[in-house]
C-alpha cells in the first residue's frame, strides 16, 4: 500500500511541477516530444535532463554557500546531504548510478531535483534582493 501511495503522490507532484516549473531545459522539452510514448526514449530524456538539473542544483548550492556566513555554510552542507539522502530513499536510487535508473527512478529523481533547484533559486534570489 505504501509504494502505491508514494507513486500516486509522485505522479501528482510531477504533474503540478511540470505545470508550474519553468526550469526544464529546452533540449528536454524537445527530447520528450520526440520520445512520444516510447518508455525507453522517455527514460533516456529524463536521465539526460537529470544530469543537467544536478549541475544546476550544484551551482545553486555553491552560490548559496558563497552568500552565507560560516555558521550558515555548515547548515547548507548538512541540508544538502539530507536532501540527497531523501531523494535517494524516495526514488529508490541510493547506491545506483544514473545510467542504471529505471523509469520510476529517473522520473522521480528528475521531478524532485527540478523542484528543489527551483526552491533553492527562489531562496537565493530573495536573499540577494534583501
Amino acid at each position: 500500500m505504501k509504494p502505491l501511495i508514494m507513486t500516486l503522490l509522485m505522479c501528482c507532484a510531477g504533474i503540478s511541477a511540470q505545470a508550474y516549473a519553468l526550469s526544464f531545459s529546452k533540449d528536454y522539452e524537445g527530447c520528450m516530444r520526440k520520445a512520444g510514448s516510447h518508455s525507453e526514449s522517455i527514460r533516456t530524456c529524463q536521465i539526460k535532463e537529470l544530469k543537467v538539473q544536478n549541475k544546476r542544483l550544484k551551482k545553486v548550492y555553491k552560490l548559496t554557500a558563497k552568500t552565507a556566513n560560516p555558521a550558515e555554510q555548515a547548515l547548507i552542507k548538512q541540508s544538502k546531504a539530507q536532501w540527497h539522502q531523501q531523494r535517494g530513499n524516495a526514488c529508490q536510487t541510493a547506491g545506483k548510478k544514473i545510467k542504471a535508473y529505471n523509469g520510476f527512478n529517473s522520473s522521480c529523481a528528475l521531478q524532485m531535483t527540478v523542484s528543489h533547484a527551483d526552491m533553492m533559486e527562489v531562496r537565493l534570489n530573495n536573499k540577494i534582493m534583501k
Side-chain angles (χ1 to χ4, degrees), residues 12-30:
C12 292
I15 291 167
S16 65
Q18 282 188 338
Y20 297 104
L22 301 174
S23 301
F24 290 107
S25 70
K26 290 183 182 185
D27 289 342
Y28 176 67
E29 293 170 10

Side-chain angles (χ1 to χ4, degrees), residues 56-71:
R56 174 178 163 235
L57 184 58
K58 185 177 180 178
K59 181 180 176 183
V60 173
Y61 267 115
K62 226 180 231 187
L63 290 170
T64 301
K66 204 182 251 191
T67 63
N69 65 46

Side-chain angles (χ1 to χ4, degrees), residues 45-84:
C45 294
Q46 290 171 335
I47 288 172
K48 284 180 186 176
E49 183 66 9
L50 179 57
K51 290 176 182 179
V52 169
Q53 295 298 328
N54 279 336
K55 286 180 186 176
R56 174 178 163 235
L57 184 58
K58 185 177 180 178
K59 181 180 176 183
V60 173
Y61 267 115
K62 226 180 231 187
L63 290 170
T64 301
K66 204 182 251 191
T67 63
N69 65 46
E72 289 175 324
Q73 288 176 354
L75 290 172
I76 291 166
K77 190 174 182 178
Q78 182 182 8
S79 71
K80 180 180 177 182
Q82 287 176 331
W83 181 81
H84 278 284

